[in-house]
Amino acid sequence: MADGLLSALRQLRSRLDHDLFPLAIGDVAADRRALKELIGQLDDYLLPRLAAIDAPLLAVVGGSTGAGKSTLVNSLVGANVTKTGVLRPTTLAPTLVANPADGPWFTATEVLPGLPRVTGRGPGEPGTLKIVQTPELPEGLALLDAPDIDSVVTANRELAAQLLAAADLWLFVTTAARYADEVPWGFLRTARERSTALGIILQRVPAEALDPVTKDLSRLLRENDLADSPLFVIPELQLPQEHARLPEPNVRKIKDWLTSLSADAKARAEVVRQTLSGALDSLAVRVPALAEAADRQRLGVGELRGMAERSYDVGMSGFDEGMRDGSLLRGEVLARWQDFIGTGDLMRSLESRIGWLRDRLTAIVTGRPAPDRRLEVALESGVESLIRATADGSAERALESWLATPSGRDLLERAGVATAGRLGRATPELPARAITTVREWQGYVLDLVRSEGADKRNVARAASFGVNSLGLLVMFGVFASTGGVTGVELGIAGGTSVLSQKLLEAIFGDQAVRNLTDQARGDLRARVRALLDIEQARFTALLDDLEVPDSAALREAAQAVEELKRELPA
């Protein structure tokens, strides 16, 4: 028994249970098709065949439209078991014909488990497998009449390919008019690559073309390394009626060949081993190819993640610039600052009258508390607006970068228009979070000032101004720069920057002021970064939901199958 090999195949199959290719990267349609074909062959053929190596032989009769597959099956069985006719496609549902002794194997769901079974008279419904049991067919062999491999119905073509991959033996049926068509030869080359046991049946050959067509088909078989496949030729025949079967003498050689396979356990086992070994050998190529495609998916997910991260990094850099360039000192903040400290000769006499400035500020804080509160609110509003603009810009950049790539567009399309639209701007919760963040930062700055003012050397000087006022000066120092401010505002902003700096240095010392400002700026930056991380997580959440394949595990599973192939019974 090949228990180890069967277990390794099941392990490989388990690695294919989720979508290996969730993103539109490379030729993803071909990758998905290859994955579907591999899963189909594992489920329909490799696993059930290896689990029951002595089960009856399944011969799938396939070929092009109008090749006479159904007529051939009826003729080989000697009974009308499948529908024939001139309308195309004729075979809407595959029909499997087996001896009653073999019926239980095929009516169960070990082989082709995805196709519901139907029995009884009448044609099967599309998407089902009709089972016909007749003693006319010898034990040990079943014939399956498959849909056309070049059918105009896509589902029929896909089903035909699935059935051929589930066959122990493929009976390829063609005609003198169609034997050189490319579509059938694509299937024949696949059969060669997978060492599928194969029989060629050339039908409807006019008497005058019998020799040249047979020789030309033999040449094509040699050129495609299929010369060892038996070739049977059936001449053009005038049948008495539309649904008539081929005369027995014309199909005798094919029947004898099939009967010998069914009667000879050794010959049947050789066919099974040939096809089974070929299918197993093909895994050494097919699975690594899927693993490489899975690697591309992983890289693609990483690229999309990187795009989102870079978009929000750019936003953070913009926020840093907004703290440095003085833009927060425009408008309302600047007006409230003037209310807070006064203007005119106070600004002009700053350098020589620091003591007077301290007295003036003390009076302001003691007698008129409203201006400092208005300045605090103005700063709060300015910082909050900068945060919101940063988040909106980052979201827009991230969305545009994803839309510029096929994989990003595909992911957004599957997420839905509404989701994609929301991703292009900040979340509705951001404004409230921004306000909370700024207020918590202001509280942190006041704690810094309170801690610095607790130093014995600074207690008296700090107490004369009050923690709130000094905290506002530190906050203002975080943003006080002349970059981006022009005209009249330039002079005022420059003066205010010097004013706040000189006053703080007079109280705490220049090194302490630098430390206070750096800590305040760093803490605000960290809080804003945390907000942007929450916003960015909307993008990365879409990627986290993808089941990115583990290509290493896939390769390991394929290698285990390769190493255990020696267990295949002789």
Side-chain angles (χ1 to χ4, degrees), residues 96 103 124 228 411 472 544:
L96 189 148
D228 291 338
L411 182 59
L472 282 172
D544 294 338

Side-chain angles (χ1 to χ4, degrees), residues 71-90:
T71 298
L72 177 65
V73 170
N74 288 340
S75 303
L76 291 172
V77 175
N80 292 335
V81 292
T82 184
K83 181 181 178 181
T84 63
V86 296
L87 299 180
R88 300 290 178 260
T90 303

Side-chain angles (χ1 to χ4, degrees), residues 213-405:
V213 170
T214 302
K215 287 182 177 178
D216 195 46
L217 178 54
S218 298
R219 174 186 62 81
L220 291 174
L221 291 171
R222 287 193 304 273
E223 291 177 355
N224 286 275
D225 296 327
L226 292 169
D228 291 338
S229 303
L231 173 61
F232 304 94
V233 181
I234 301 175
E236 183 76 62
L237 299 169
Q238 293 295 326
L239 300 179
Q241 56 187 8
E242 180 182 344
H243 301 292
R245 298 192 293 271
L246 299 170
E248 199 277 337
N250 293 100
V251 295
R252 182 176 297 131
K253 289 183 178 180
I254 305 172
K255 289 181 66 174
D256 290 345
W257 179 57
L258 293 175
T259 300
S260 67
L261 289 178
S262 64
D264 186 344
K266 181 178 180 181
R268 189 167 65 247
E270 287 177 354
V271 170
V272 170
R273 182 179 177 85
Q274 175 185 337
T275 302
L276 187 56
S277 296
L280 290 171
D281 289 341
S282 74
L283 299 181
V285 176
R286 297 161 74 188
V287 177
L290 291 177
E292 289 180 9
D295 286 337
R296 291 194 291 271
Q297 290 283 319
R298 184 176 294 278
L299 289 174
V301 169
E303 289 173 359
L304 291 179
R305 193 181 301 277
M307 290 177 187
E309 290 173 353
R310 286 191 294 275
S311 296
Y312 280 87
D313 286 344
V314 170
M316 193 67 229
S317 296
F319 182 84
D320 291 339
E321 183 63 23
M323 286 197 294
R324 292 190 300 266
D325 65 8
S327 58
L328 277 173
L329 303 187
R330 294 177 182 272
E332 184 69 13
V333 174
L334 199 57
R336 299 289 74 79
W337 171 257
Q338 294 176 52
D339 291 343
F340 179 56
I341 65 164
T343 54
D345 59 352
L346 171 63
M347 300 291 292
R348 291 190 296 273
S349 61
L350 175 63
E351 293 294 335
S352 60
R353 302 176 65 188
I354 290 294
W356 180 88
L357 173 63
R358 183 175 62 247
D359 296 337
R360 174 69 180 272
L361 281 174
T362 301
I364 292 174
V365 173
T366 302
R368 294 168 54 200
D372 67 332
R373 176 57 187 156
R374 287 198 296 268
L375 176 58
E376 182 180 355
V377 170
L379 274 172
E380 178 182 298
S381 177
V383 178
E384 185 229 337
S385 296
L386 180 58
I387 293 173
R388 294 175 63 176
T390 299
D392 280 333
S394 299
E396 185 177 355
R397 269 189 302 274
L399 182 66
E400 289 177 351
S401 66
W402 277 21
L403 288 173
T405 66

Side-chain angles (χ1 to χ4, degrees), residues 3-226:
D3 293 340
L5 177 57
L6 182 59
S7 177
L9 278 176
R10 287 171 176 160
Q11 180 66 22
L12 172 61
R13 176 63 181 86
S14 70
R15 299 295 183 187
L16 308 175
D17 274 334
H18 58 274
D19 185 5
L20 293 183
F21 312 116
L23 296 176
I25 295 174
D27 191 356
V28 71
D31 294 336
R32 289 168 178 165
R33 187 166 56 251
L35 174 62
K36 182 179 179 180
E37 290 173 357
L38 178 57
I39 290 174
Q41 191 166 43
L42 284 166
D43 291 343
D44 297 339
Y45 180 68
L46 282 170
L47 290 171
R49 172 51 74 188
L50 197 57
I53 201 74
D54 295 325
L57 197 70
L58 177 60
V60 174
V61 182
S64 302
T65 301
K69 301 182 294 297
S70 298
T71 298
L72 177 65
V73 170
N74 288 340
S75 303
L76 291 172
V77 175
N80 292 335
V81 292
T82 184
K83 181 181 178 181
T84 63
V86 296
L87 299 180
R88 300 290 178 260
T90 303
T91 306
L92 299 177
T95 299
L96 189 148
V97 188
N99 186 280
D102 298 329
W105 170 249
F106 294 108
T107 54
T109 56
E110 280 81 3
V111 178
L112 298 166
L115 291 178
R117 270 56 169 168
V118 295
T119 57
R121 296 183 178 182
E125 295 296 323
T128 65
L129 178 63
K130 182 182 178 183
I131 306 293
V132 176
Q133 300 184 43
T134 173
E136 299 296 329
L137 201 65
E139 293 183 31
L141 172 71
L143 294 178
L144 197 161
D145 183 18
D148 303 327
I149 58 176
D150 56 355
S151 173
V152 294
V153 181
T154 300
N156 280 359
R157 296 196 305 272
E158 293 176 348
L159 181 55
Q162 177 187 357
L163 296 175
L164 291 171
D168 294 303
L169 171 65
W170 182 22
L171 299 180
F172 169 62
V173 184
T174 189
T175 66
R178 305 290 302 275
Y179 73 92
D181 289 358
E182 175 55 31
V183 172
W185 279 100
F187 280 87
L188 288 171
R189 283 190 285 269
T190 299
R192 176 200 65 201
E193 292 165 2
R194 299 179 188 175
S195 300
T196 303
L198 183 66
I200 311 295
I201 301 170
L202 176 63
Q203 291 204 104
R204 299 177 181 172
V205 186
E208 66 278 8
L210 192 63
D211 185 61
V213 170
T214 302
K215 287 182 177 178
D216 195 46
L217 178 54
S218 298
R219 174 186 62 81
L220 291 174
L221 291 171
R222 287 193 304 273
E223 291 177 355
N224 286 275
D225 296 327
L226 292 169

